[in-house]
Amino acid sequence: MKVIFLGTGTSHGVPVIGCKCPVCTSTDKRDKRHRTSLYVSEPASIIIDTGPEFRIQALRSNVTSPDAVLITHSHADHLNGLDDLRIFSHTKSVPKTEGGKSDAETEGEGLTIYANENTIRDIKNRFDYIFTPVKEGGGKPKLHLVDCAEFGIGNPIKIKGMEIIPVPLIHGSLNDSGWLLSDLTGSTKRTLAYLTDCSLIPEDSFKLIKDAAPNLDHLVIDGLRPEPHSTHFSFREALSAADRIGARHTWLVHMTHNCSHVEICNYIEENLHDFPNLQEIVKNGGSVQPAFDELKVES
């Protein structure tokens, strides 16, 4: 599986508009954080979230011909670039028999978007023009919206040698969707868990991850800042969840401008002794690090 981090920043992005703090004015490329998004380029082409910079991210990282898009939730920093999928969607033909139902206007054609029920409702509301019939002009994406609730460990989404399972998360008071992505094309199953924008991982979701991927290769997890927050994991909360999940490699995303890349690395190193499972994983060749924009990971 080949993965590119398109963005690793929180809702403001980094640098923050008008801010002159040391992180926002840093010359370290790893401190420039677009809104959080991920691209899996192989074996299937999968986009996770389309934030405000999606067009820039797609051009920068050569995103081409996605097979599907996964949306975690409908906050602006994860959704507002949805219209930029237009260039991809007009070349897609989705069989009517594929999982889920779509609107009659888009059924049988377009780019498949997987999301939970609340996110689909918000997409239809905020991007209503996409689903409103027009006689001419008004170029718009052709999207096939599929509720991910019908998929699970016994019924994964299947795309070109990959299996994808939604992972329910809690983001403040919002129901969010994390994702388990598994590459089945090699001799060994390789799995990445993508758990951004969460303040709570339900017990059933911890169990789901363990059952579906007992030897998890990569964990991408929300880690906003050192201080607690009502809708996001702090660094310490992210490390605690990561310690429990036990992936070989853990990557923090959705970071604010409170800390530079180097400072986050130092925080992890200074606090790793409180997380014995992570400490043992690192000792045996694994890693716990902050991700950064354009970071490429392969497993």
Side-chain angles (χ1 to χ4, degrees):
M1 191 187 311
K2 293 186 177 181
V3 172
I4 303 173
F5 287 82
L6 299 180
T8 56
T10 191
S11 56
H12 282 296
V14 182
V16 176
I17 295 172
C19 183
K20 302 300 180 184
C21 76
V23 179
C24 287
T25 56
S26 169
T27 58
D28 188 335
K29 185 180 178 181
R30 297 170 299 181
D31 292 332
K32 310 301 181 187
R33 302 169 185 148
H34 284 182
R35 266 58 78 93
T36 294
S37 179
L38 194 79
Y39 176 51
V40 179
S41 61
E42 292 183 21
S45 177
I46 308 291
I47 295 164
I48 306 182
D49 286 342
T50 55
E53 290 107 355
F54 176 69
R55 178 180 177 276
I56 298 169
Q57 294 169 333
L59 290 170
R60 183 177 67 179
S61 296
N62 193 31
V63 175
T64 56
S65 303
D67 296 302
V69 177
L70 314 176
I71 302 293
T72 58
H73 64 297
S74 59
H75 284 167
D77 55 320
H78 294 261
L79 185 63
N80 276 16
L82 192 76
D83 189 82
D84 287 322
L85 294 172
R86 188 191 327 176
I87 193 66
F88 304 126
S89 68
H90 286 269
T91 62
K92 292 294 178 183
S93 178
V94 177
K96 294 183 181 181
T97 55
E98 189 167 335
K101 296 180 179 179
S102 68
D103 297 297
E105 178 69 12
T106 58
E107 189 172 17
E109 62 178 349
L111 179 61
T112 304
I113 310 290
Y114 295 96
N116 65 26
E117 181 182 11
N118 292 338
T119 301
I120 288 175
R121 178 201 63 211
D122 290 345
I123 289 172
K124 290 180 178 180
N125 180 37
R126 296 184 201 169
F127 297 88
D128 63 305
Y129 63 89
I130 293 176
F131 310 99
T132 302
V134 293
K135 293 183 178 180
E136 61 182 63
K140 56 186 183 179
K142 294 181 180 180
L143 304 180
H144 177 81
L145 303 179
V146 178
D147 187 346
C148 65
E150 66 185 85
F151 300 98
I153 195 167
N155 180 37
I157 299 165
K158 296 183 179 181
I159 305 172
K160 290 184 177 179
M162 291 189 68
E163 290 186 350
I164 302 169
I165 301 171
V167 180
L169 303 173
I170 303 299
H171 179 28
S173 59
L174 185 70
N175 290 325
D176 196 349
S177 296
W179 303 94
L180 277 177
L181 301 98
S182 297
D183 178 359
L184 307 181
T185 60
S187 57
T188 304
K189 176 181 176 181
R190 300 291 188 180
T191 303
L192 176 146
Y194 190 80
L195 311 178
T196 192
D197 285 50
C198 58
S199 52
L200 175 69
I201 301 175
E203 285 300 316
D204 286 348
S205 294
F206 276 115
K207 185 177 185 304
L208 170 63
I209 294 168
K210 283 295 185 185
D211 289 347
N215 299 306
L216 187 64
D217 295 281
H218 293 277
L219 169 64
V220 180
I221 191 165
D222 184 11
L224 188 74
R225 62 188 189 188
E227 300 78 20
H229 191 275
S230 60
T231 64
H232 291 272
F233 278 161
S234 65
F235 292 162
R236 191 166 190 84
E237 289 168 327
L239 293 176
S240 179
D243 189 68
R244 184 172 173 182
I245 292 170
R248 181 164 174 77
H249 301 285
T250 293
W251 306 96
L252 302 189
V253 293
H254 217 284
M255 286 87 70
T256 68
H257 64 154
N258 296 59
C259 294
S260 69
H261 181 87
V262 171
E263 288 170 335
I264 300 171
C265 289
N266 291 340
Y267 180 98
I268 293 169
E269 184 177 354
E270 292 165 4
N271 289 273
L272 200 62
H273 60 83
D274 290 333
F275 306 98
N277 193 26
L278 288 181
Q279 196 171 27
E280 188 66 19
I281 288 169
V282 170
K283 188 184 298 183
N284 288 294
S287 63
V288 183
Q289 302 177 55
F292 53 88
D293 289 21
E294 298 185 87
L295 170 65
K296 297 179 180 179
V297 171
E298 188 171 345
S299 65

